[in-house]
Amino acid sequence: MRIGDYYNDGRIKGVVIKVDSSGDHGLIWSLQRNSCQWYAGTKDVHTGARHPLDGRINQNIVLKNFSKWDYPAFRWCESLGEGWYLPAIGELQHLRDNSYLSAIENTLKRYGGDPLYDGRFIADLYLSSTEGDSYPDMAVYDTDITMVLVFCVSAQGGSISSDTKRSAFEYARAVHRF
């Protein structure tokens, strides 16, 4: 398997976004995306979902300790079935390479997935499960409880940024390990 390949084991389907050196294990992105908020509650809360490299840890923290109805992005990822989760920001970091994005976009188009970037806005923002708003050297230092890290896709490629948890709707795209 390589980044951009279509993955279908008969149980889960998606596009490969990360592989290990053997090519046998990695991470797939769901073919579909959902427009939703990270947090839909009324009072800012620090969830503790701060892991920069493992979204499963973040999702487990949020769904175990808080009402899933207040966290639409996590709820949507969980609704896709066992093993699907909202990725940590570090699980998306390598996608800043534009060559990966074009391979992923081509596979999404070929297999009927939602586009990676639709061009309606300057950038399409994808929510990560990582709470906070700074990302130097794979660590999240800022403790601002109102922010979440996002992966931005534009015509120029990918980048990492932050947005408010209760912002206007952004995109969630679930990941699954293989």
Side-chain angles (χ1 to χ4, degrees):
M1 292 260 118
R2 294 181 321 234
I3 294 175
D5 284 351
Y6 178 66
Y7 183 90
N8 181 355
D9 70 357
R11 187 176 62 88
I12 57 172
K13 299 174 186 174
V15 59
V16 176
I17 64 165
K18 189 175 186 179
V19 292
D20 67 7
S21 58
S22 73
D24 294 331
H25 303 283
L27 201 60
I28 63 170
W29 229 355
S30 60
L31 295 174
Q32 284 69 45
R33 64 184 185 182
N34 185 43
S35 179
C36 58
Q37 290 176 291
W38 197 91
Y39 175 62
T42 58
K43 178 181 156 189
D44 288 324
V45 177
H46 174 66
T47 66
R50 313 251 324 143
H51 203 290
L53 300 173
D54 191 337
R56 289 184 311 175
I57 291 171
N58 292 335
Q59 183 159 305
N60 287 338
I61 288 169
V62 169
L63 295 180
K64 180 180 176 191
N65 297 309
F66 302 94
S67 168
K68 68 181 178 180
W69 301 108
D70 285 340
Y71 295 89
F74 294 93
R75 185 177 70 238
W76 179 77
C77 291
E78 179 188 54
S79 77
L80 296 178
E82 186 178 341
W84 289 101
Y85 63 92
L86 190 63
I89 197 65
E91 291 174 304
L92 303 175
Q93 176 189 350
H94 65 284
L95 295 179
R96 291 189 274 183
D97 182 334
N98 209 17
S99 65
Y100 292 145
L101 294 179
S102 59
I104 291 166
E105 184 67 42
N106 289 337
T107 300
L108 288 169
K109 286 179 185 175
R110 188 175 320 122
Y111 291 95
D114 293 328
L116 191 57
Y117 172 63
D118 60 24
R120 292 183 303 148
F121 303 104
I122 293 171
D124 285 349
L125 303 179
Y126 286 87
L127 299 166
S128 83
S129 62
T130 309
E131 194 173 43
D133 75 348
S134 55
Y135 185 64
D137 301 320
M138 301 297 288
V140 180
Y141 297 110
D142 196 326
T143 58
D144 185 341
I145 63 172
T146 65
M147 303 300 284
V148 64
L149 289 159
V150 295
F151 177 66
C152 307
V153 181
S154 70
Q156 289 76 40
S159 63
I160 305 244
S161 185
S162 60
D163 203 356
T164 60
K165 290 181 195 175
R166 290 189 284 168
S167 69
F169 288 56
E170 309 297 3
Y171 288 120
R173 200 177 283 265
V175 293
H176 198 290
R177 294 182 180 174
F178 69 91

